């Protein structure tokens, strides 16, 4: 509702992107949002190979079933409540800032952006891993790195075209990458025990059961990424909770069914490593299915990277609108309303980190993401206590106790990432020590930012909702 002081507040305080004309700017509806969320979280069955190698079939399936219950579902409930109550540009950054203040809001954005550097380097790595299964020529020299760089550039261009292009692309990519695994699930019962003595090339994987659990957590993380585009979603209060729950079910099925199907064939768990779905499909269905899985793996990596560019680029945009970053990061492309400067800046940072190892990237990614997720669960509980009358079209069940308890299982699982990070090395130090340095750098960045802008930033007040 407009007030007499509204024009003055708009002039003094930067506001998030509000799309005023529903007919001119088409926004995301339920299924395009589900598809975009699917790629922000999963990208299909690819990336699950190391879980089977580290844990074996039975324990891998158990991990794949329990992890969404303890890790994904609580996060999806939290996202559903906060997205429906506060559908603002910047998503989780805006929630934490409103609940816990400027310092923690800044740290939430810092942790998410730093984690994105390691997270986004994974998908070009997976793209090249599957590409080289078909064309080993790309393994030589810097060819793989060049392919990864081309992927970063292509996704940046697509994102500058706007969220509609990205979400529509995600929807079609979802169907394309799912087709080979539907074929695997259908064919496997006809190969019952037939691959028990199959000869496979030796693997180089050293992943154990704890490493498999961490990779499973990585495969199930990223639900909050969809929250940063809230003002570009049709009826976010209704759409977000439904999209989160639908995406959790689809992601879990996309992991469990193909792994369970291959268990029926008797193929040894030691045959599995990152990228081996292609060779496994070749054993099951011949060269055509192998080619289909290779193409699907490339589609998966491309689709995940493409959707996550859309999510991460909204953080610098929201921070610029709040005065926490220079205003240039808030510049929008005139027709698509995409934050082109933020997209370009993020793409440069991601390109600089291409070529790092898969296991190390996953460990650092989960560790940094985990700390930011803890802040989001804290924001859920604090807002329930401080703003009990805030309209919440969707609520985590159980009252204030439920809002607190829902964050306990994910936080306990994060303990595994801390244990594992002591064994991964980055520049002659443990991954945990390296992550602590990055976290401390966020505190230093806040203090510098505050010193350069002593007047402070725009208040974390109630923002206008997008036009319905």
């Amino acid at each position: 509702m407009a007030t007499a002081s509204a024009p003055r507040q708009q002039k003094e305080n930067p506001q998030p992107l509000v799309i005023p004309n529903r007919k001119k700017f088409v926004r995301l509806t339920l299924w395009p949002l589900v598809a975009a969320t699917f790629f922000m979280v999963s990208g299909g069955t690819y990336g699950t190979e190391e879980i089977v190698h580290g844990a074996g079939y039975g324990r891998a399936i158990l991990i794949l079933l329990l992890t969404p219950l303890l890790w994904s579902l609580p996060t999806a409930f939290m996202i559903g409540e906060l997205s429906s109550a506060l559908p603002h540009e910047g998503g989780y950054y805006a929630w934490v800032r409103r609940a816990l203040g400027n310092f923690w809001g800044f740290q939430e954005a810092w942790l998410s952006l730093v984690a994105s550097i390691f997270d986004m380097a994974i998908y070009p790595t997976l793209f090249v891993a599957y590409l080289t299964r078909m064309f080993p020529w790309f393994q030589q020299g810097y060819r793989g790195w060049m392919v990864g760089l081309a992927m970063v550039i292509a996704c940046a261009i697509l994102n500058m075209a706007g969220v509609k292009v990205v979400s529509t692309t995600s929807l079609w990519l979802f169907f394309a990458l799912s087709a080979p695994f539907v074929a695997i699930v259908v064919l496997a019962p006809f190969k019952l025990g037939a691959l028990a003595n199959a000869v496979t090339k030796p693997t180089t994987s050293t992943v154990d059961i704890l490493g498999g659990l961490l990779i499973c957590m990585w495969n199930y993380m990223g639900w909050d990424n969809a929250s940063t585009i809230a003002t570009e979603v049709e009826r976010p209060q209704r759409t977000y909770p439904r999209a989160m729950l639908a995406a959790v079910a689809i992601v879990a099925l996309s992991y469990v069914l193909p792994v369970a199907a291959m268990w029926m064939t008797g193929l040894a768990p030691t045959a599995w490593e990152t990228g081996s779905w292609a060779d496994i499909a070749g054993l099951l269905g011949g060269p055509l299915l192998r080619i289909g899985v290779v193409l699907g793996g490339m589609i998966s990596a491309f689709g995940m990277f493409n959707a996550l560019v859309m999510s991460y680029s909204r953080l610098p945009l929201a921070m610029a609108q709040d005065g926490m970053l220079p205003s240039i990061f808030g510049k929008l492309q005139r027709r698509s309303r995409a934050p082109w400067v933020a997209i370009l800046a993020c793409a440069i940072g991601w390109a600089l980190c291409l070529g790092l190892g898969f296991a190390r990237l996953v460990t650092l990614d989960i560790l940094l993401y985990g700390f930011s997720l803890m802040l989001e669960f804290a924001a859920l509980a604090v807002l329930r206590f401080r703003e009990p009358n805030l309209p919440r079209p969707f609520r985590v069940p159980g009252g204030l106790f439920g809002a607190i308890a829902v964050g306990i299982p994910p936080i306990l699982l994060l303990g595994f990432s801390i244990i594992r990070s002591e064994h991964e090395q980055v520049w002659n130090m443990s991954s945990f020590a390296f992550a602590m340095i990055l976290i401390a750098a966020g505190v230093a960045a806040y203090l510098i930012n505050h010193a350069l802008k002593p007047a402070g930033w725009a208040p974390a007040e109630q923002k206008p909702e997008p036009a319905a």
Side-chain angles (χ1 to χ4, degrees), residues 78-426:
M78 179 264 290
I79 302 302
E81 174 168 326
L82 293 178
S83 290
S84 65
L86 303 169
H88 304 328
E89 198 78 33
Y92 45 83
Y93 149 75
W95 310 333
V96 172
R97 187 180 179 220
R98 177 162 173 158
L100 305 176
N102 284 341
F103 174 80
W104 291 112
F106 188 93
Q107 299 312 309
E108 173 72 12
W110 173 269
L111 289 168
S112 300
L113 287 172
V114 172
S116 83
I117 293 175
F118 304 104
D119 186 53
M120 295 296 271
I122 294 172
Y123 308 110
T125 300
L126 289 174
F127 184 93
V128 173
Y130 276 95
L131 177 65
T132 54
R133 296 276 171 167
M134 188 182 297
F135 303 107
W137 181 81
F138 285 102
Q139 289 178 317
Q140 302 173 20
Y142 291 98
R143 292 168 183 169
W145 183 88
M146 293 297 293
V147 171
L149 180 61
M151 177 176 157
V152 173
I153 294 171
C155 290
I157 293 172
L158 276 174
N159 272 266
M160 289 181 189
V163 296
K164 185 65 177 178
V165 173
V166 175
S167 61
T168 303
T169 302
S170 296
L171 192 58
W172 286 108
L173 291 180
F174 166 74
F175 291 117
L177 71 88
S178 298
F181 290 97
V182 171
I184 287 174
V185 171
V186 171
L187 291 174
F190 297 100
K191 296 276 188 175
L192 190 64
L195 301 182
N197 298 314
V199 178
T200 59
K201 68 178 184 179
T203 61
T204 58
S205 175
T206 58
V207 172
D208 55 14
I209 188 169
L210 182 56
L213 174 60
L214 288 179
I215 291 172
C216 186
M217 290 170 63
W218 172 74
N219 274 281
Y220 276 114
M221 80 179 197
W223 300 99
D224 51 353
N225 288 322
S227 69
T228 62
I229 55 170
T231 61
E232 297 158 272
V233 173
E234 186 77 21
R235 294 193 297 174
Q237 289 88 348
R238 174 180 172 84
T239 303
Y240 265 106
R242 297 168 66 199
M244 292 299 104
L245 296 177
V248 167
I250 292 171
V251 169
L253 288 174
S254 74
Y255 291 157
V256 172
L257 291 181
V259 171
M262 289 309 304
W263 192 10
M264 298 170 63
T265 69
L267 183 68
T270 53
W272 295 68
E273 67 175 347
T274 300
S276 64
W277 267 117
D279 297 331
I280 291 168
L283 291 172
L284 183 67
L288 286 179
L289 186 56
R290 183 178 187 276
I291 292 172
V293 169
V294 169
L295 293 176
M298 295 163 61
I299 289 170
S300 170
F302 184 92
M304 292 179 77
F305 191 93
N306 191 40
L308 286 168
V309 171
M310 176 173 63
S311 171
Y312 287 130
S313 62
R314 268 53 180 184
L315 281 176
L317 168 65
M319 294 177 75
Q321 290 170 335
D322 285 344
M324 287 188 172
L325 286 179
S327 59
I328 190 172
F329 288 98
K331 286 188 175 294
L332 304 175
Q333 206 277 339
R334 188 170 64 178
R335 295 186 63 183
S336 68
R337 312 296 292 171
W340 67 272
V341 175
I343 291 172
L344 183 61
C346 288
I348 292 171
W350 299 326
L352 293 174
C353 295
L354 294 175
L356 298 179
F358 179 77
R360 186 178 295 113
L361 287 169
V362 168
T363 301
L364 285 167
D365 188 17
I366 292 177
L367 196 59
L368 293 167
Y369 170 81
F371 282 110
S372 68
L373 190 66
M374 289 170 63
L375 290 176
E376 293 168 34
F377 278 110
L380 174 70
V382 169
L383 285 173
R384 276 288 191 96
F385 180 75
R386 288 184 179 174
E387 301 186 45
N389 297 323
L390 178 70
R392 295 173 171 87
F394 175 84
R395 282 177 173 265
V396 175
L400 180 60
F401 173 79
I404 296 172
V406 76
I408 294 175
I411 291 172
L412 291 177
L413 279 177
L414 289 173
F416 290 109
S417 69
I418 295 175
I419 296 171
R420 187 65 176 188
S421 65
E422 294 291 343
H423 302 287
E424 292 287 349
Q425 295 293 309
V426 180

